[in-house]
Amino acid sequence: MSAKRVVALAGGVGGAKLVYGLAQVLPAGQLTIIGNVADDFTLYGLHISPDLDTVMYTLAGIANPETGWGIAGDSWQMLEMLVRYGEEGWFRLGDRDVATHVLRTHWLAQGVPLTEVTARLTRALGVPHRLLPVTDDPLATMVDTVEYGILPFQEYFVRRRWQPVARRVWFEGAETARMTAEVAQALAEADLVVICPSNPVLSIAPILAVGGVRQALQGRAGRCVAVSPFIGGQAVKGPAAKLMPELGLDISVNGLWNFYAGLVDGLVIDVADTPQSVGEHKAILMTYTLMKTDDDKVRLAKEILDWMETL
Ligand code: GDP
């Protein structure tokens, strides 16, 4: 396994857990993470990249273990001051976390592309693996809801705590956004691609929607597998099991196969889920996919990489 180049497609908290495991198993230079940027947004003029930061903080060993996002031991004085000024403060910005957004915004304003900004930040935090935004172009998840009409992603996800009923999800900018040259090269050179147990609609679909990504994945000879974010038909966290049925998407094992049809050679599912409706010819690894401890993450990453060798 040691000579393989692995690419992981990841969203935020769920994706970062498996990415952490992969990062412990693979030597530096053999793991590239392609991250979602469709939940990026601007708040008080700051460019915030929640998914990239979650992966970055996780790999740097500074992520908040309770939430999965944000920085461990961060304080909230800036947020408290904003609230004192009468702001709602619905998006939780920790004091140290803000430094990331200030610097990112500063460099972007100087014309530095997000890919280079992310490389500078990860390097400074001592992350030995490459974290690539899927695109340097604008991309924004939008959710049309029954209760509030069209909401920008963070208004739906954080402000409204994903409670509104979704009618449609789309990615503004996807028609023109292109994958970066770095992403194209990483995909072309990858021996193995792992789609992390991220939200298929909100974290992985926007990566796949970027120009060139789907074709690059389909044009590869190496293996690609997806890890299910569902355990016993439920999401471990977040809106996947609520949102997908609202959009008419099936969250069974068969439904996940269909969602990733034409892209994956295999699925990793939890022992609590039944693959009976999926044909015999499909490759399925049934294992324990709940990642509570760091050992769980490393064990699952190893199991997946070993299994991919046998496909
Ligand atoms: P977000 O962008 O922060 O919402 O994070 P992701 O999209 O990367 O991950 C959200 C998904 O991760 C949810 O659908 C969860 O069900 C899934 N998830 C979280 N923790 C685990 C876990 O330990 N095991 C598995 N299999 N899925 C998980």
Side-chain angles (χ1 to χ4, degrees):
M1 150 59 25
S2 55
K4 299 281 185 191
R5 275 161 302 191
V6 179
V7 163
L9 307 190
V13 175
K17 288 188 190 177
L18 185 59
V19 164
Y20 176 87
L22 291 167
Q24 310 312 306
V25 175
L26 294 163
Q30 275 177 236
L31 173 64
T32 300
I33 304 106
I34 298 178
N36 174 37
V37 295
D39 61 356
D40 285 24
F41 73 122
T42 304
L43 190 64
Y44 305 116
L46 298 177
H47 183 111
I48 302 178
S49 300
D51 278 1
L52 293 179
D53 288 347
T54 294
V55 172
M56 178 172 77
Y57 295 155
T58 300
L59 291 181
I62 60 171
N64 181 337
E66 271 95 56
T67 53
W69 52 266
I71 296 175
D74 212 344
S75 52
W76 304 97
Q77 298 197 25
M78 192 216 60
L79 189 70
E80 283 160 19
M81 196 65 190
L82 282 172
V83 171
R84 197 165 156 192
Y85 280 124
E87 291 298 291
E88 210 179 312
W90 57 270
F91 195 86
R92 310 278 300 158
L93 286 170
D95 294 330
R96 290 179 205 165
D97 189 27
V98 166
T100 307
H101 314 314
V102 166
L103 207 47
R104 176 187 292 116
T105 306
H106 173 65
W107 282 331
L108 287 173
Q110 290 180 339
V112 181
L114 186 61
T115 297
E116 170 60 18
V117 169
T118 308
R120 290 183 187 179
L121 294 171
T122 48
R123 211 180 300 133
L125 291 180
V127 174
H129 303 285
R130 221 153 50 123
L131 172 61
L132 299 176
V134 61
T135 182
D136 285 333
D137 300 327
L139 189 67
T141 302
M142 306 295 291
V143 186
D144 186 14
T145 67
V146 171
E147 295 85 344
Y148 303 99
I150 296 171
L151 296 176
F153 178 67
Q154 298 297 350
E155 299 253 348
Y156 162 79
F157 191 71
V158 178
R159 187 169 186 207
R160 305 279 174 203
R161 297 167 193 276
W162 48 270
Q163 291 315 299
V165 176
R167 291 186 283 220
R168 191 164 85 89
V169 170
W170 70 100
F171 311 112
E172 224 160 70
E175 309 74 33
T176 47
R178 299 291 308 167
M179 66 177 169
T180 63
E182 290 84 349
V183 166
Q185 191 185 357
L187 288 175
E189 290 176 355
D191 298 300
L192 307 173
V193 175
V194 179
I195 299 178
C196 288
S198 289
N199 187 312
V201 170
L202 297 177
S203 292
I204 303 298
I207 295 176
L208 300 174
V210 169
V213 173
R214 199 170 265 279
Q215 295 81 343
L217 281 170
Q218 285 167 336
R220 301 173 48 256
R223 296 297 181 206
C224 176
V225 302
V227 185
S228 172
F230 302 112
I231 297 184
Q234 293 298 313
V236 177
K237 201 180 163 214
K242 171 181 176 288
L243 173 75
M244 288 179 66
E246 286 170 3
L247 300 172
L249 294 165
D250 171 12
I251 62 164
S252 69
V253 174
N254 204 37
L256 211 59
W257 263 116
N258 292 334
F259 191 86
Y260 290 127
L263 291 176
V264 302
D265 312 295
L267 266 192
V268 181
I269 65 167
D270 195 83
V271 290
D273 292 291
T274 44
Q276 85 277 6
S277 55
V278 177
E280 293 274 315
H281 55 288
K282 304 277 175 67
I284 286 190
L285 172 66
M286 268 182 103
T287 185
Y288 295 89
T289 69
L290 185 62
M291 294 171 280
K292 279 198 167 161
T293 65
D294 288 350
D295 285 349
D296 295 336
K297 298 166 196 169
V298 173
R299 193 255 320 140
L300 183 60
K302 269 193 194 138
E303 243 183 279
I304 292 168
L305 294 177
D306 287 344
W307 173 65
M308 288 181 82
E309 292 288 336
T310 69
L311 287 179

